[in-house]
Amino acid sequence: MPRIGIVFDRLRSEEKMLQKAAAGMGHDAVMTDAKITQFDTDGQAPDLGDVVLERCVSHFRGLYFASCLEFLGVPSVNSSAVSHLCGNKMLTTLQLKRSGVPTPRTLFAFSQEAAAECIERAGYPMVIKPVIGSWGRGVMKVADRDTMDAVIEVRALSDTPHDRIYYLQEVVKRPPRDIRVVTVGERPVAAMYRRSSGGFKTNVAAGADPEPCEITGELEDVAAAASRAVGGGILGVDLMEDEARGLVVHEVNSTVEFRGLATVARRDIPREMVEFAVGMAQR
Ligand SMILES: Nc1ncnc2c1ncn2[C@@H]1O[C@H](COP(=O)(O)OP(=O)(O)OP(=O)(O)O)[C@@H](O)[C@H]1O
């Protein structure tokens, strides 16, 4: 019976649900706080389990922890490669486009002058996103030249390495909601709608009840294709219902939150995740 490692930096409901699912299936769950774990390339390896569900909230902590796991020969779900890709919106968009997965038109520029020129040529409004970030932070609708100038000014002041990378996306015409699909091993397991609470973002509806979404054939195909495109594993595929084109994928999350979805899903999400990890350990 493989021992299931669960690596976290904040013990949320999701990690406790995974622990309970593993125990219920007869597996020892090895709970590891990434914040107090140390690695020595030449020393004794920490005991992390036979396979690890890497669940850090911090993208970079999770990414580098997964690299250490792989160095030790412990399979990490997700792998560092998948985490690297999904943690960066630009790399994800390029990979989705390359793989023929429907995704919004996106423009990239690498200086403030080029970004200003880019948006003037493409036309307003557009959505600007930080290439690394989650929960909708820093995602803004740029309606006009004044807003774009303000964004550029703020970025020049903070001047972090990623502030020079401009990710500008067409505004997708869609109902005021998006769809989150949890995929396990490239198979959609459950889906829900996320509604806007007034603004254009749909992922910040504080306190909104999860609303189940039926997994249609189209949703299944597009979510599976997106999951496959980024390398598979346990993922959260975010889609919008474009009025003209149908489903488009705008993001793939590599550390997916599923607490709300689990309350309405027909399938047992944590159990399916643990089953997937067991399969990885036995490969
Ligand atoms: N091109 C777009 N057109 C219209 N709305 C968009 C577009 N891109 C993003 N949005 C809206 O903004 C929200 C936040 O965008 P996005 O999901 O890319 O950010 P995020 O920080 O990765 O969020 P999360 O971590 O919750 O997935 C989306 O849920 C969606 O409702």
Side-chain angles (χ1 to χ4, degrees):
M1 285 292 256
R3 295 158 69 242
I4 309 296
I6 297 168
V7 168
F8 59 91
D9 54 4
R10 203 188 305 156
L11 197 55
R12 300 169 291 179
S13 307
E14 279 87 351
E15 290 69 47
K16 291 179 194 157
M17 286 160 77
L18 290 166
Q19 181 182 21
K20 203 168 150 209
M25 293 162 67
H27 297 277
D28 280 342
V30 183
M31 304 300 286
T32 302
D33 184 344
K35 300 197 299 302
I36 55 168
T37 305
Q38 299 169 15
F39 289 95
D40 176 346
T41 53
D42 293 23
Q44 168 107 34
D47 176 18
L48 301 161
D50 299 315
V51 59
V52 165
L53 290 161
E54 186 281 293
R55 297 278 322 163
C56 291
V57 177
S58 157
H59 163 64
F60 286 109
R61 185 180 276 137
L63 171 63
Y64 297 129
F65 202 102
S67 301
C68 288
L69 287 169
E70 288 159 0
F71 169 77
L72 296 175
V74 179
S76 174
V77 182
N78 292 316
S79 69
S80 61
V82 170
S83 173
H84 174 62
L85 202 57
C86 294
N88 183 307
K89 290 186 171 60
M90 178 177 171
L91 301 182
T92 305
T93 295
L94 293 174
Q95 186 60 19
L96 293 174
K97 282 279 178 207
R98 197 180 284 134
S99 310
V101 178
T103 190
R105 175 189 178 206
T106 310
L107 311 173
F108 308 110
F110 304 94
S111 70
Q112 51 191 59
E113 296 78 16
E117 207 179 297
C118 206
I119 198 165
E120 283 293 324
R121 185 138 20 96
Y124 297 94
M126 292 206 91
V127 179
I128 188 164
K129 304 185 188 185
V131 286
I132 296 177
S134 53
W135 300 318
R137 284 175 305 196
V139 174
M140 294 172 216
K141 196 186 217 173
V142 180
D144 52 29
R145 173 77 194 268
D146 283 341
T147 319
M148 189 60 196
D149 285 348
V151 169
I152 287 174
E153 200 175 315
V154 169
R155 284 195 173 202
L157 284 172
S158 51
D159 199 29
T160 66
H162 285 115
D163 282 328
R164 291 159 214 163
I165 317 300
Y166 284 86
Y167 178 107
L168 296 156
Q169 193 163 69
E170 64 169 311
V171 178
V172 172
K173 288 201 183 62
R174 53 155 172 81
R177 64 183 190 188
D178 74 354
I179 300 173
R180 158 70 55 89
V181 184
V182 171
T183 59
V184 175
E186 298 170 19
R187 263 181 331 116
V189 169
M192 69 176 191
Y193 291 111
R194 300 188 303 175
R195 266 181 205 284
S196 143
S197 53
F200 94 99
K201 291 188 228 176
T202 54
N203 52 351
V204 286
D209 290 331
E211 200 184 316
C213 166
E214 193 203 333
I215 302 180
T216 60
E218 185 196 7
L219 187 55
E220 174 155 13
D221 290 349
V222 178
S227 167
R228 207 162 30 247
V230 300
I234 295 178
L235 299 161
V237 180
D238 294 344
L239 309 98
M240 290 184 273
E241 301 150 279
D242 186 303
E243 279 173 8
R245 286 170 295 183
L247 295 171
V248 291
V249 176
H250 61 284
E251 236 223 316
V252 185
N253 300 276
S254 86
T255 310
V256 62
E257 292 178 341
F258 55 86
R259 184 184 54 227
L261 185 52
T263 61
V264 292
R266 265 183 252 134
R267 304 212 344 222
D268 187 340
I269 300 175
R271 188 185 173 94
E272 299 216 13
M273 290 179 170
V274 172
E275 276 171 1
F276 180 76
V278 171
M280 291 289 292
Q282 287 168 341
R283 260 193 211 171

